[in-house]
Amino acid sequence: MRHGPQRPGRRWLVAATTLALMATSAAACSSDDPQRRVKPKRQTPTSAAPVPDPGPNDTVLPPSALAPKPLPAPATRPNILLITADDAAIGDLDHMPQLKQYVADQGITVENALAPTPICVPARASLLTGQYSHNHGAVTIEGEGGGFDAFADNDTLPVWLQTAGYDTLFVGKYLNGYGEDDPTYVPPGWTDWQATVDPSTYNFERPQINHNGEVTEHEQYSTDLLRDLSVDEINDPARAAKPWYMWVNYVAPHTGQPQQDDDPLKIDPDNGKSLKTTVPAPEYDNAFSDQDLPTTPDMFEDETSDKTVAKVTYQRWNERDRELLRESYQQRLESLQSVDDAVAETIEALRETGQLDNTWIVFTGDNGYASGQHNIAGKLWYFTDILGIPMVMRGPGLPRGETVSTPVTNPDLATTFATLAGATPTRPQDGVDVAPYLTTEADTRVVPIEGYRVTGGLTPLYYGIWAGPWTYVRTPGRREELYNRDLDPYELSSVADDPRFATQLGELRRLAKEQHTCAGDTCAREFYSSAQR
């Protein structure tokens, strides 16, 4: 089960100048870190959202772990297709009907998918390594530990898959900062490499592509270009020679250029929230002009003095701010319509070439995204809309049209793909092969979570534990927050100072101490079912 009542937004899952582009590239994630630009004062609580008493079954973990249930073995090693949409949020999937038709309805929706470090580079580096950010070392987007320069890409999933006999194909956005120093660089392990080059990655109208060391500029909408490149890969007769792995990473709905007349920064360059937007395709411009922001209780949360870790929650949104944010949200959904179209065309290409039935397909995001929840516009933090990521998958052996509660992290995908391919990782794996748990009642496991300053540094802003309904975080300075999403589904009231939850707090403190530096087999690997509580 997904812990907590069903939240709205999860009904079925639950030409710019080079200077401007460089600014977009450098600030694309940093603008989502208001912690460094908002200095609110601690508020005096006026009321508290009630959190019911914990019951005897409100323990951190059930008493015993589940046994794995292997999926039926495919007749041949499957192809593996990973499609990611940069900054896609869980609720965005409600507005992607073709993704539902072609993937979710033919496979599974994973409602407990999450990014342990929910921002940009660290999340995508986990997809390449099967490791948490404190082990792969690319913990943020710039400065020390940040961006492409912080990542050792000589020992990654494509290297292991090539060794196992797979062709490996890449299309789209790589890691922040890629191509700025050497736009012709091709990372090890890739049979065919077609990556956007920074800073052009964020130019939706004129992206540059490095194709195996040769850089070309394209005058085509970014999502459509990446779609065409990926479909061409599928149609290539070489695909019949051996199994393949392809990662297609769409830039949308990430922010980018060029600015449009209705962008918040165009309408109001001095708006206090510095709201940036993505760029929809012309055919979808203003298609969601009547779309309102979500109306869940965590939107523009009024009482946030309990939130001592993420002080960005203290900022407030006036009516003007909210309307500008609504425009940003609208454009996100509009940009995803082209991604939705691309998914459909990709699946149809697989069908027409006879490859669909032997291909594992996973659609997900690198991290989640907030559009006003807890007064946040962006990512990085540990609340459900940011930590949680959309994820649907289909493939041989998977059930059809089902929603599963198995907790799946982005490090797990690398580990799982390696197992499916019969490849041997040469990095210690923090992730778990989740395939044997996708048809069990698993809904709980211990996942270490952490976030770092976007300006660089190896000391975390926070670290903690996600475990079933529990989210526990603390700072190195010992500020703490604790939420139970079964009792408080919108994370409105931290119970870290509530004596009723002292036992659970103690257990989560212990787990956080053990797990925040875990590596390989020392990382928690057991899955549990809340039905066993």
Side-chain angles (χ1 to χ4, degrees), residues 323-340:
E323 177 51 34
L324 295 174
L325 181 59
R326 192 214 61 77
E327 175 67 34
S328 175
Y329 178 66
Q330 168 194 329
Q331 293 189 30
R332 284 173 50 84
L333 299 181
E334 291 165 353
S335 73
L336 280 167
Q337 302 315 294
S338 298
V339 177
D340 198 37

Side-chain angles (χ1 to χ4, degrees), residues 417-462:
F417 294 162
T419 303
L420 284 170
T424 302
T426 49
R427 288 178 184 247
Q429 293 294 280
D430 308 333
V432 179
D433 173 17
V434 296
Y437 296 95
L438 293 174
T439 56
T440 70
E441 294 184 337
D443 60 9
T444 300
R445 65 186 276 206
V446 174
V447 177
I449 59 177
E450 55 197 325
Y452 297 78
R453 292 191 180 276
V454 298
T455 52
L458 302 180
T459 300
L461 284 169
Y462 69 86

Side-chain angles (χ1 to χ4, degrees), residues 114-430:
L114 64 152
T117 303
I119 188 171
C120 298
V121 173
R124 291 195 296 280
S126 289
L127 290 169
L128 286 161
T129 62
Q131 293 183 321
Y132 295 125
S133 60
H134 62 258
N135 289 324
H136 63 57
V139 299
T140 186
I141 63 137
E142 57 186 58
E144 183 184 18
F148 168 76
D149 289 339
F151 183 60
D153 60 7
N154 62 316
D155 183 11
T156 58
L157 176 64
V159 175
W160 315 330
L161 294 177
Q162 271 196 343
T163 301
Y166 271 63
D167 277 343
T168 52
L169 320 167
F170 183 86
V171 177
K173 178 181 177 180
Y174 190 48
L175 302 179
N176 297 52
Y178 167 75
E180 290 182 344
D181 293 332
D182 181 4
T184 66
Y185 172 75
V186 178
W190 296 100
T191 306
D192 202 22
W193 176 259
Q194 300 187 81
T196 59
V197 174
D198 283 3
S200 84
T201 295
Y202 307 99
N203 186 335
F204 278 80
E205 294 185 354
R206 300 178 68 91
Q208 295 177 343
I209 297 288
N210 173 0
H211 188 192
N212 296 331
E214 182 177 345
V215 178
T216 57
E217 184 174 282
H218 299 260
E219 296 185 10
Q220 185 178 5
Y221 181 68
S222 172
T223 301
D224 295 348
L225 172 63
L226 301 181
R227 173 203 64 203
D228 291 350
L229 295 175
S230 59
V231 169
D232 287 347
E233 292 282 19
I234 291 169
N235 290 332
D236 190 328
R239 299 292 80 79
K242 58 174 68 175
W244 51 265
Y245 166 75
M246 181 162 64
W247 180 11
V248 185
N249 186 26
Y250 290 101
V251 183
H254 197 283
T255 59
Q257 297 279 357
Q259 274 190 3
Q260 299 173 297
D261 289 341
D262 54 359
D263 285 359
L265 286 176
K266 189 82 168 184
I267 297 171
D268 186 359
D270 299 322
N271 81 79
K273 301 299 189 291
S274 299
L275 290 168
K276 295 179 173 63
T277 56
T278 188
V279 182
E283 62 266 33
Y284 292 115
D285 190 29
N286 285 321
F288 284 77
S289 59
D290 294 331
Q291 180 69 46
D292 291 330
L293 286 166
T295 57
T296 50
D298 51 358
M299 288 293 290
F300 308 116
E301 186 179 0
D302 184 56
E303 177 50 76
T304 56
S305 60
D306 61 308
K307 293 170 173 58
T308 60
V309 176
K311 295 181 180 180
V312 64
T313 61
Y314 293 3
Q315 68 179 331
R316 293 297 178 259
W317 296 76
N318 59 34
E319 288 304 313
R320 179 61 166 170
D321 293 336
R322 297 184 189 195
E323 177 51 34
L324 295 174
L325 181 59
R326 192 214 61 77
E327 175 67 34
S328 175
Y329 178 66
Q330 168 194 329
Q331 293 189 30
R332 284 173 50 84
L333 299 181
E334 291 165 353
S335 73
L336 280 167
Q337 302 315 294
S338 298
V339 177
D340 198 37
D341 293 341
V343 169
E345 292 196 34
T346 302
I347 304 299
E348 286 296 341
L350 288 169
R351 188 192 315 278
E352 292 168 4
T353 56
Q355 301 177 81
L356 181 58
D357 291 343
N358 193 42
T359 302
W360 261 63
I361 303 165
V362 178
F363 178 96
T364 188
D366 50 353
N367 46 256
Y369 201 87
S371 294
Q373 293 89 350
H374 305 290
N375 298 305
I376 299 172
K379 44 209 173 186
L380 180 64
W381 302 101
Y382 41 82
F383 299 106
T384 295
D385 290 280
I386 299 173
L387 197 66
I389 54 177
M391 186 178 292
V392 294
M393 61 178 74
R394 64 176 288 180
L398 288 172
R400 293 190 174 189
E402 295 187 10
T403 296
V404 304
S405 300
T406 311
V408 180
T409 69
N410 37 31
D412 296 331
L413 291 180
T415 308
T416 302
F417 294 162
T419 303
L420 284 170
T424 302
T426 49
R427 288 178 184 247
Q429 293 294 280
D430 308 333

